[in-house]
Amino acid sequence: MRTADRSVHGGKIMSKSDVDVVVVGAGFSGMYLQKRLRDAGFSHRVLEAGGDVGGTWYWNRYPGARCDISTTDYQYTWDPELHEQWSWSEKHAAQPEILRYAQFVAKKHDLYSGIDFDVRVNDALWSDDTKRWSIHTSTGETIVCRHYVMATGCLSVPKEPDIPGADRFRGDVYVTGRWPHEGVDFSGMKVAVIGTGSSGIQSIPLIADQASKLVVYQRTPNYSIPAFNGPPPQYRVDRLVADRAAYEAEARQSASGVPITMPTVSALSVPRETAWELLETAWLKGELLETGIVFTDVGTNRAANDVVAEFMREKIRAEVQDPATAELLSPRKHPYGTKRPCMDTNYFQTFNRPHVRLVDLNTSPIRTITETGIDFGGESHDFDAIVYATGFDAMTGAIVNVDITGKDGVTLKQKWEHGPHNYLGLTTVGFPNLYMITGPGSPSVLSNMMVSIEQHVDWITDTLVDLRDKGFDTIEATPLAEEAWRKHCTDCADITLFQETDSWYMGANVPGKPRVLFPYIGGVGRYRRICDEVRARDYLGFVLEGAGRRQLNDGPIREIQPDVEMVLDMMATLGLPPIESMSPADARAFSDASSAMRPPGPAVGEIIDGTLPGPGGPLEYRLYRPSTTGPHPVVVYFHGGGWVFGSHTSDDPLCRALCTLADVVIVSVNYRHAPEDRFPAAADDGYAALRWVADNAAALGGVPDRIAVAGWSAGGNVAAVAAQLARDNGGPTLRGQLLLTPVTDGSRQHRSHDENADGYILTKALMEWFWNHYADPEDRSDPRASPLLAADLTGLPPAMIVTAQYDPLRDEGDAYARALESAGVPVQHLRARGHIHTSITMVDALPSGVAPRRRMADALRGFFA
Ligand SMILES: Cc1cc2nc3c(=O)[nH]c(=O)nc-3n(C[C@H](O)[C@H](O)[C@H](O)COP(=O)(O)OP(=O)(O)OC[C@H]3O[C@@H](n4cnc5c(N)ncnc54)[C@H](O)[C@@H]3O)c2cc1C
């Protein structure tokens, strides 16, 4: 291959050793970046350890190596002419064809002339004096550059075999990620394959075609879908032909970089036959992402995931003749999708062949590799060749393989000892002007990488152009922004099942790697919007410096919980009329209709509906009893709905959840509603109901002196007021009060009313509408309407107050928590980060609400301990 020989650039004489940008890697990332840098007029060097372009597709030449995203999607979009000039022969093209594609693009765009091949970057050093990087290469050259981009690939460093005796073997040794260019003929050979991840699953059937004996060593069985390879899928081709721009735009805004209809059905909401039918349809498409998105909750709910996992296991049993082997090949421990699912051609069927044997390393571990073979589980087998399909040091391996030293002599390896902390997966604090393509903290390996690569290359190049235009020399993320990004990535990971599994996504395949979810799971489209927003907000979370100027625009880019954001996005697309534009009757009907569509919540031991006497007539209640043996403590619960709508059944899922989690009886009371019954009807009913429940606790299956109150929103207001009235009117004595995003002060404006006035479901305007229906302005200072204004808050029961960050009512709850504390009341204050007024009540719909609900239940248990 030719090496770079450029001395003239954009009319300027350039030194090859002092350039604007150094790019490491000439895979699809480095190639496109080179094109953009050249077009934008940056002097640059591209350094590649391999002998050609293509990266992954240059190194991974093992038999069966193919892309598992369809070629309709796994291709560049930045050069529209390519679509006319190149056509793919298959849906899942094999490695030689993808490599030819990379070469074709490189030739077409004259990329070869700008790349130094067979050059490895060994280390890189930042100078704070010159504001430049010094890059040292395997050829002994030092290149100085302003900006330094690691386009080094997330699956480019094969994992070293860590099996005792591995270096003793005298036969042939192959690593799938470093396959010989001339190919390997296994005809008549005795072969061992170690590893059953994607590379193993792709290569095993073809190695079995040649070998006289094949033993496959498996530590973890994997889910694999048949590729049903053939021509590119016609329905995708048709869409591309009809409107390529629209198709590509949809891919860029999608969850994983491929246009796919997103699911609307929970796996738990349909009978098994329906689930099987839906899964079968997806399965027959032979597309990697389809089976995982048949249902809404496969990634977040273990029971839902089990539906898909069992479908997969049934498929394995149907293919593999020996039931014991089928069982060994069936994943049981990890949820579907938490390790990268594979695509195969005849993988499971291969184990029906007489010369192929599967060894389960959990029951027959390898004792040692010998000069002639492998000793395992009391057996000793000779082999002519061993193939290691043991995966990669993914996401960070190639980055930290280079000794990168940033500010103050800190190396990236040191900084990342406890996790690859970064901002947007693109940059990292302490390493100015260093960029990563598809690095940790970005969608990367959880996406169609072509879409993610193009997005990163565009973001980086556009940023470099901005810096140049504005006269800035350096850009560096701020610690605040980086920490907020870490939290956001963790929030996203926490609501999924990924953390249950030891996978390479979690760094678990490499000893000593920190255990975090390395890629960003929030989705390709959402991620792109975040990156765009950072630039649109003048590089939020970055400090830019140059020519005596400094621009610091600090702040977190995302704090809202990812599933809450999804709900808000969905609501925005529905274009619903604001509730405050409705009559109370219409608002009630709307609220009832919304409630009918939500998941029901967990099963409880018993539900009893009844009535209790109230000051204005009978009040309905619903009692939830746990399935454990009673008697139980009793919580009198008041529903939300702004005193205008809702009922004793309207917070059903939340009441069920609290009943089961805290092991208490919940009595949910339907107090009178405004505008028919205005202030103080709700307060009076709340207190009357509390008294009645306390008086009848034993008959209700409760323990008489173990009573607490709880409520959400306006119900939190009723609960707080009931607790004050109980203190002032001779009982009952309460063990505690649990107030979830309560209304505590209608007398004045709080900062959060304006900060979160709009966009988070409960709006400032809606709060006004509720108050107008409930209480006259002069009544709002009455402590029975605004418990915060009570002259004396001493002697009230211990409280847990939950406030939500993006709730207009947040500061009212904060103020009540502070006031109670000042009055000597024990208070637990849970500030639910990234939540809105309604999100914690959305049981089984928003996984991020699980942790706060557990804390609420713990508080209830604590009241009664
Ligand atoms: C077998 C296999 C199948 C895959 N199939 C798919 C698929 O179907 N869909 C999908 O989206 N993704 C797939 N991927 C992921 C694939 O890696 C990306 O799609 C894409 O090819 C990555 O391109 P890249 O340029 O970012 O990195 P790479 O292609 O990995 O290129 C990085 C380059 O950097 C070079 N390099 C690294 N360190 C140094 C150094 N210190 N000095 C000099 N050079 C260095 C390497 O030699 C390499 O050539 C697959 C990966 C593998 C391994």
Side-chain angles (χ1 to χ4, degrees):
M1 284 297 139
R2 281 180 287 164
T3 50
D5 182 23
R6 297 166 60 255
S7 56
V8 180
H9 182 85
K12 290 184 287 181
I13 305 292
M14 304 300 304
S15 156
K16 277 183 67 179
S17 301
D18 187 349
V19 290
D20 295 327
V21 189
V22 161
V23 178
V24 191
F28 284 125
S29 298
M31 290 167 62
Y32 177 40
L33 184 57
Q34 189 199 356
K35 161 80 177 144
R36 286 276 341 246
L37 291 173
R38 197 172 59 197
D39 289 354
F42 288 105
S43 60
H44 60 273
R45 294 277 297 272
V46 180
L47 310 173
E48 167 56 56
D52 201 345
V53 295
T56 292
W57 307 103
Y58 170 83
W59 296 108
N60 288 268
R61 299 170 186 243
Y62 60 84
R66 293 175 182 279
C67 60
D68 46 21
I69 298 281
S70 165
T71 43
T72 44
D73 303 271
Y74 191 67
Q75 57 180 336
Y76 281 137
T77 65
W78 54 267
D79 175 5
E81 284 177 11
L82 284 175
H83 308 306
E84 314 303 325
Q85 296 164 346
W86 183 271
S87 60
W88 295 100
S89 67
E90 289 180 292
K91 179 171 66 158
H92 301 290
Q95 171 270 330
E97 188 174 4
I98 305 176
L99 180 57
R100 279 201 303 280
Y101 174 75
Q103 292 163 334
F104 175 79
V105 176
K107 280 185 202 132
K108 173 171 188 241
H109 289 281
D110 187 27
L111 301 181
Y112 278 118
S113 62
I115 304 171
D116 291 333
F117 291 105
D118 302 311
V119 176
R120 178 166 289 282
V121 170
N122 291 331
D123 56 84
L125 180 68
W126 172 254
S127 162
D128 234 2
D129 297 331
T130 62
K131 307 288 182 209
R132 281 179 157 76
W133 286 97
S134 294
I135 312 292
H136 302 114
T137 74
S138 55
T139 57
E141 190 183 3
T142 297
I143 307 166
V144 175
C145 60
R146 176 75 77 196
H147 300 279
Y148 169 41
V149 188
M150 295 295 275
T152 42
C154 6
L155 299 172
S156 58
V157 177
K159 202 179 142 253
E160 293 293 322
D162 52 359
I163 301 169
D167 50 355
R168 283 164 59 196
F169 185 64
R170 281 194 265 102
D172 299 334
V173 174
Y174 302 102
V175 176
T176 48
R178 291 285 179 271
W179 206 257
H181 288 200
E182 61 281 10
V184 181
D185 183 1
F186 289 110
S187 296
M189 289 170 81
K190 289 177 283 186
V191 183
V193 175
I194 301 177
T196 53
S198 186
S199 305
I201 282 178
Q202 286 187 333
S203 60
I204 283 164
L206 294 172
I207 295 174
D209 281 347
Q210 295 181 334
S212 61
K213 163 182 165 177
L214 174 63
V215 180
V216 175
Y217 293 87
Q218 169 189 278
R219 191 177 54 191
T220 313
N222 266 305
Y223 301 97
S224 184
I225 301 160
F228 299 123
N229 206 5
Q234 195 55 44
Y235 77 104
R236 290 198 180 277
V237 173
D238 290 345
R239 285 193 60 194
L240 281 164
V241 170
D243 191 345
R244 176 172 289 279
Y247 185 91
E248 290 171 354
E250 194 180 326
R252 291 182 192 120
Q253 292 302 331
S254 67
S256 47
V258 178
I260 286 184
T261 309
M262 292 308 281
T264 52
V265 184
S266 157
L268 304 175
S269 68
V270 291
R272 185 180 183 279
E273 310 80 68
T274 313
W276 249 239
E277 270 168 35
L278 293 169
L279 286 165
E280 185 71 25
T281 306
W283 168 271
L284 288 172
K285 283 189 180 168
E287 290 195 34
L288 182 73
L289 304 171
E290 287 285 343
T291 330
I293 55 99
V294 170
F295 303 112
T296 50
D297 39 8
V298 176
T300 53
N301 182 309
R302 186 69 198 245
N305 191 287
D306 280 345
V307 174
V308 181
E310 183 48 29
F311 174 85
M312 298 285 173
R313 288 190 286 265
E314 196 171 285
K315 290 289 185 190
I316 296 170
R317 290 193 290 273
E319 293 298 343
V320 181
Q321 288 155 5
D322 172 35
T325 306
E327 183 53 30
L328 283 182
L329 288 165
S330 298
R332 295 238 170 235
K333 290 195 180 137
H334 67 277
Y336 179 77
T338 57
K339 279 174 179 266
R340 189 181 173 85
C342 307
M343 301 225 71
D344 73 274
T345 302
N346 294 331
Y347 173 64
F348 293 112
Q349 297 87 331
T350 299
F351 293 93
N352 295 333
R353 302 177 74 170
H355 67 297
V356 179
R357 175 176 168 194
L358 180 70
V359 172
D360 172 26
L361 290 176
N362 299 298
T363 51
S364 307
I366 294 178
R367 198 178 62 74
T368 184
I369 294 180
T370 65
E371 283 77 8
T372 56
I374 300 181
D375 289 356
F376 63 96
E379 297 180 45
S380 190
H381 283 240
D382 284 350
F383 293 109
D384 301 308
I386 298 179
V387 175
Y388 290 100
T390 38
F392 297 92
D393 183 351
M395 306 287 299
T396 51
I399 300 174
V400 296
N401 256 5
V402 176
D403 222 342
I404 302 177
T405 308
K407 282 159 93 175
D408 305 322
V410 176
T411 66
L412 192 56
K413 216 179 242 170
Q414 287 166 337
K415 178 175 173 186
W416 281 1
E417 201 182 339
H418 302 294
H421 302 313
N422 62 74
Y423 183 39
L424 305 175
L426 277 160
T427 64
T428 184
V429 175
F431 298 80
N433 294 7
L434 168 69
Y435 314 84
M436 299 166 285
I437 297 194
T438 66
S442 75
S444 187
V445 289
L446 291 177
S447 67
N448 168 12
M449 297 267 299
M450 283 299 204
V451 171
S452 292
I453 285 170
E454 290 189 353
Q455 186 248 335
H456 267 187
V457 168
D458 288 338
W459 194 94
I460 291 168
T461 319
D462 293 345
T463 298
L464 295 188
V465 170
D466 273 356
L467 294 178
R468 184 178 59 189
D469 290 352
K470 292 176 183 165
F472 289 115
D473 296 329
T474 62
I475 180 169
E476 185 186 352
T478 68
L480 192 154
E482 184 164 288
E483 176 56 13
W485 185 247
R486 188 193 64 75
K487 277 194 187 143
H488 176 63
C489 291
T490 309
D491 287 343
C492 293
D494 281 351
I495 60 175
T496 70
L497 301 172
F498 276 93
Q499 314 199 46
E500 291 187 16
T501 300
D502 286 337
S503 66
W504 59 260
Y505 291 142
M506 296 291 301
N509 65 328
V510 177
K513 245 182 145 170
R515 196 173 196 287
V516 292
L517 181 60
F518 280 68
Y520 173 71
I521 180 77
V524 164
R526 172 165 290 107
Y527 175 77
R528 173 185 293 268
R529 291 194 290 279
I530 290 172
C531 292
D532 289 350
E533 191 185 328
V534 164
R535 291 192 60 233
R537 291 170 70 182
D538 236 349
Y539 293 95
L540 178 69
F542 282 108
V543 57
L544 280 56
E545 288 180 320
R549 284 172 56 223
R550 186 167 196 265
Q551 173 187 306
L552 170 60
N553 183 12
D554 209 355
I557 181 67
R558 266 305 176 283
E559 291 189 297
I560 196 150
Q561 293 290 336
D563 48 358
V564 174
E565 194 181 7
M566 259 182 251
V567 168
L568 293 176
D569 287 351
M570 193 197 58
M571 302 274 295
T573 62
L574 295 177
L576 299 169
I579 292 179
E580 61 271 22
S581 68
M582 302 180 191
S583 67
D586 288 347
R588 286 170 191 157
F590 176 78
S591 162
D592 291 347
S594 310
S595 295
M597 291 189 302
R598 67 197 166 171
V604 296
E606 188 181 16
I607 286 188
I608 298 169
D609 288 332
T611 55
L612 57 88
L619 301 174
E620 293 166 295
Y621 72 83
R622 171 166 283 190
L623 181 146
Y624 303 82
R625 198 188 312 287
S627 53
T628 53
T629 310
H632 298 93
V634 181
V635 177
V636 184
Y637 176 88
F638 301 103
H639 64 82
W643 307 283
V644 176
F645 50 78
S647 73
H648 57 305
T649 61
S650 61
D651 293 357
D652 209 63
L654 179 64
C655 290
R656 287 166 179 271
L658 292 177
C659 169
T660 52
L661 288 170
D663 200 32
V664 293
V665 163
I666 303 271
V667 181
S668 170
V669 178
N670 192 16
Y671 49 89
R672 280 172 293 167
H673 293 140
E676 295 83 352
D677 293 291
R678 290 167 63 83
F679 173 83
D684 289 347
D685 286 359
Y687 180 50
L690 173 60
R691 284 204 80 119
W692 183 86
V693 172
D695 290 346
N696 294 277
L700 296 171
V703 188
D705 65 344
R706 296 172 129 210
I707 311 285
V709 286
W712 166 50
S713 190
N717 170 279
V718 175
V721 170
Q724 292 188 7
L725 292 174
R727 177 198 60 179
D728 298 341
N729 294 285
T733 302
L734 297 179
R735 292 295 189 97
Q737 48 181 328
L738 168 63
L739 311 178
L740 172 58
T741 57
V743 185
T744 69
D745 180 14
S747 69
R748 64 191 171 94
Q749 291 300 308
H750 290 256
R751 196 163 52 100
S752 58
H753 293 179
D754 289 320
E755 248 179 48
N756 303 319
D758 204 3
Y760 302 110
I761 297 183
L762 176 66
T763 62
K764 185 178 173 182
L766 181 55
M767 274 310 301
E768 264 317 300
W769 186 83
F770 285 141
W771 271 114
N772 289 339
H773 282 303
Y774 182 48
D776 294 334
E778 56 275 20
D779 286 333
R780 296 182 196 174
S781 302
D782 188 311
R784 288 171 302 161
S786 296
L788 177 67
L789 305 186
D792 179 14
L793 293 173
T794 59
L796 287 168
M800 170 172 243
I801 297 182
V802 183
T803 52
Q805 186 177 0
Y806 297 103
D807 181 1
L809 291 173
R810 181 195 64 211
D811 291 354
E812 292 189 34
D814 278 357
Y816 199 52
R818 277 197 311 273
L820 288 177
E821 239 164 3
S822 303
V825 176
V827 176
Q828 297 174 62
H829 184 184
L830 170 58
R831 292 185 169 85
R833 192 171 48 79
H835 278 279
I836 60 173
H837 185 70
T838 48
S839 48
I840 295 168
T841 68
M842 298 169 80
V843 176
D844 290 340
L846 294 186
S848 64
V850 171
R853 280 195 300 277
R854 285 217 180 99
R855 293 271 304 274
M856 287 159 58
D858 288 347
L860 288 177
R861 282 177 185 271
F863 293 158
F864 301 120

